[in-house]
Amino acid sequence: MEAQAHFSREEINSTVWEVPEKYTRLKQIGTGAYGSVCSTTNEKTKAKVAIKKLHRPFQSEIFAKRAYRELRLLKHMKHENVRNHLTVHLTIFSLQSLFLSYLVMPYMFTDLSKVRGHLSEDKVQFLVYQMLLSNHHSAHFLLQDLKPGNLAVNQDCELKILDFGLARSTDAEMTGYVVTRWYRAPEVILNWMHYTQTVDIWSVGCIMAEMINGKTLFKGKDYMDQLTQIMKVTGVPGPEFIQKLDTPEAKSYMKALPRYPRKDFSALFPRASVQGIDLLEKMLVLDGDERPTAELALEHPYFDSLRDPDDFPEPAPYDDSHDNDTLSLDEWKRKEVKSFVPFPRRDSKRKNTLTMSP
């Protein structure tokens, strides 16, 4: 636990930030549905860091559960391709007014959404390898929102996952909602069948295709247009796949589609190597049961020059028993304090700002 810190207050783009004084010259570098991110420098260590301010983490039970889950996953995922947080700042007036404000994390140079143009094959190989490694090490839950904006990279092409706000246990019930539709697996779009961790493999395939061609592969205007664009590349599946679908509506929809043939991936990705095309063809398959797991994808010859046995320690088991909890807002707040404050404390009516390392 750090010593008591002095805090400074600053307004950035109509958002009030209250952070320890050692963090200076805050500059907003990103914003999304669940939080805003600023870059800054730790004046004590001279290290550049990124600070994520969560948007209204205790607005409702759902928001509180999401914040709790993200902190648990970040705490659990001790892997070089996950942006582990350094510290958590809690601002406490009382239990009723508790809000978890900020995650302080290592700063990364940019994210993949800001990388323009074609990438060389060795860079594509290295980045996709790291994405699959992070997926392999998260074997007990779905990342579910893999997209270029959630993948930070530095000048050495090292990659880290930024956001675990939508991650779910592999056994948890999920809906078809994900933040960005362009990278969604087709089974997520229509929630048409039970799905597994290969939803993330689809997302990796979409991101790999984008890095090779320099443009988004499936840029649908809405749900239906997204699915149509996917079918024009993958082809419309036959009756065996249609029988796997969970609802009569999904089966009828698929049967009514025009008979699009599967596209020739070598023509679709003329800059890709033979091995790169083969990997893409395996990841971008409509039937999630036919896609490789991250472990199998990492065994593909495309990664022969990168594979290292030390990259594959056994993933640590993750306790997902909390993912199905249905609690009141105050109960979620108590859980936050119990899990991330390293010593027992009583509620106080006096404002008390704590800085701690979970």
Side-chain angles (χ1 to χ4, degrees), residues 73-89:
L73 292 179
L74 281 167
K75 188 176 180 180
H76 171 78
M77 287 290 291
K78 301 189 184 307
H79 185 255
E80 62 186 14
N81 293 124
V82 174
R83 178 182 264 190
N84 299 103
H85 57 292
L86 297 176
T87 56
V88 177
H89 299 304

Side-chain angles (χ1 to χ4, degrees), residues 17-73:
W17 291 69
E18 190 175 9
V19 297
E21 287 180 343
K22 65 183 178 182
Y23 298 121
T24 61
R25 300 185 296 278
L26 270 68
K27 178 183 176 183
Q28 185 165 309
I29 56 174
T31 186
Y34 306 119
S36 299
V37 182
C38 281
S39 64
T40 183
T41 301
N42 184 329
E43 284 301 308
K44 289 186 178 178
T45 65
K46 304 304 179 185
K48 196 166 184 180
V49 298
I51 303 181
K52 177 179 178 179
K53 178 173 182 176
L54 299 180
H55 288 164
R56 305 178 303 278
F58 293 107
Q59 175 177 293
S60 67
E61 288 85 352
I62 292 173
F63 277 60
K65 183 175 181 177
R66 182 185 295 131
Y68 180 74
R69 181 194 295 116
E70 180 170 11
L71 282 174
R72 280 181 54 80
L73 292 179

